[in-house]
Amino acid sequence: AQSVTQPDIHITVSEGASLELRCNYSYGATPYLFWYVQSPGQGLQLLLKYFSGDTLVQGIKGFEAEFKRSQSSFNLRKPSVHWSDAAEYFCAVGAYTGRRALTFGSGTRLQVQP
Amino acid sequence: DVKVTQSSRYLVKRTGEKVFLECVQDMDHENMFWYRQDPGLGLRLIYFSYDVKMKEKGDIPEGYSVSREKKERFSLILESASTNQTSMYLCASSSSGESYNEQFFGPGTRLTVL
């Protein structure tokens, strides 16, 4: 069974600083990988996804993520954080076969200081 | 745009009550999901359905049941609500095409059981 680890429960960055949120997954083959964002009181919105091909994927709101098979990682990055990026971020993994549901990490809460 | 709606944003029930949470999607998606979200635990899958009248247990099905009589509607039922079922409940849907793992989420229902 697949699993996802987000080692950082809470991160605080200053507005304008760069951001990297870590995600490590466990799965026996190349997985589907996702990053979702949840703003306060809202449902989850898809930021970006990786299915195959180029290991650097671009998403919405200026986010990008890089799939590194050797490290089983899919870290999310943004070069310059805006105050509106304050939210909770979830990494998720999906399988090519079998269960169609996603397995989510425990989330990383991002706080942005002015 | 895909739209997933949930019948209530906030719900307060008493221990022992039967509770229905409704979810409707308007994109003709085959797959629908119910997740439970708790702080520090991320999203955990309760049940999912890949077709009308079909259902499969997720990771934490105990104390819950589901119903899918129509393709667009997926209901989560708490037969006898308990205080440990106080949580945020998120519904999601996805297609069964190439991008079948990409899920679209509703805004969530925050359930409090007293």
Side-chain angles (χ1 to χ4, degrees):
Chain A
Q2 61 261 37
S3 65
V4 178
T5 301
Q6 292 180 248
D8 303 306
I9 297 172
H10 185 248
I11 284 182
T12 301
V13 300
S14 298
E15 190 168 17
S18 63
L19 172 69
E20 182 168 30
L21 302 183
R22 296 184 290 165
C23 172
N24 292 96
Y25 69 90
S26 173
Y27 182 61
T30 302
Y32 290 109
L33 292 163
F34 304 82
W35 275 100
Y36 282 86
V37 61
Q38 185 180 34
S39 298
Q42 304 296 314
L44 274 69
Q45 180 184 20
L46 181 68
L47 280 176
L48 47 78
K49 61 189 178 187
Y50 172 78
F51 286 177
S52 64
D54 192 349
T55 57
L56 184 65
V57 293
Q58 302 297 321
I60 62 172
K61 305 186 181 188
F63 285 92
E64 67 178 25
E66 186 171 13
F67 170 60
K68 292 186 177 180
R69 184 190 306 275
S70 61
Q71 298 177 20
S72 297
S73 69
F74 189 57
N75 294 347
L76 181 71
R77 301 193 294 247
K78 186 170 185 178
S80 178
V81 169
H82 188 262
W83 63 267
S84 61
D85 294 324
E88 189 154 23
Y89 293 80
F90 293 94
C91 181
V93 61
Y96 275 83
T97 59
R99 195 170 88 168
R100 293 167 175 80
L102 296 176
T103 300
F104 285 83
S106 56
T108 298
R109 183 165 297 279
L110 173 66
Q111 187 173 356
V112 181
Q113 287 182 334
Chain B
D1 279 353
V2 175
K3 192 165 184 181
V4 180
T5 57
Q6 295 183 229
S7 51
S8 305
R9 293 298 302 272
Y10 299 93
L11 209 53
V12 179
K13 295 292 181 181
R14 297 208 173 272
T15 301
E17 280 192 79
K18 189 169 186 176
V19 181
F20 292 87
L21 302 182
E22 304 285 340
C23 175
V24 177
Q25 50 94 3
D26 66 358
M27 282 302 291
D28 202 35
H29 282 169
E30 293 82 6
N31 307 314
M32 296 189 74
F33 310 85
W34 276 107
Y35 293 91
R36 171 176 171 160
Q37 181 181 11
D38 298 288
L41 297 178
L43 279 72
R44 293 178 291 166
L45 181 67
I46 305 172
Y47 267 96
F48 67 102
S49 168
Y50 52 88
D51 202 351
V52 175
K53 297 192 186 294
M54 305 299 289
K55 61 185 179 184
E56 287 195 29
K57 293 180 180 179
D59 299 318
I60 52 166
E62 297 78 17
Y64 303 94
S65 62
V66 290
S67 172
R68 193 168 180 199
E69 297 296 319
K70 294 184 177 181
K71 191 174 185 181
E72 68 271 19
R73 187 180 298 270
F74 191 36
S75 302
L76 180 69
I77 304 157
L78 287 65
E79 295 288 343
S80 178
S82 64
T83 55
N84 63 12
Q85 292 178 309
T86 292
S87 187
M88 170 72 89
Y89 291 88
L90 292 167
C91 176
S93 72
S94 71
S95 68
S96 288
E98 181 181 337
S99 299
Y100 77 91
N101 267 199
E102 180 176 348
Q103 294 182 14
F104 298 85
F105 284 82
T109 295
R110 185 167 294 282
L111 172 66
T112 301
V113 182
L114 302 175

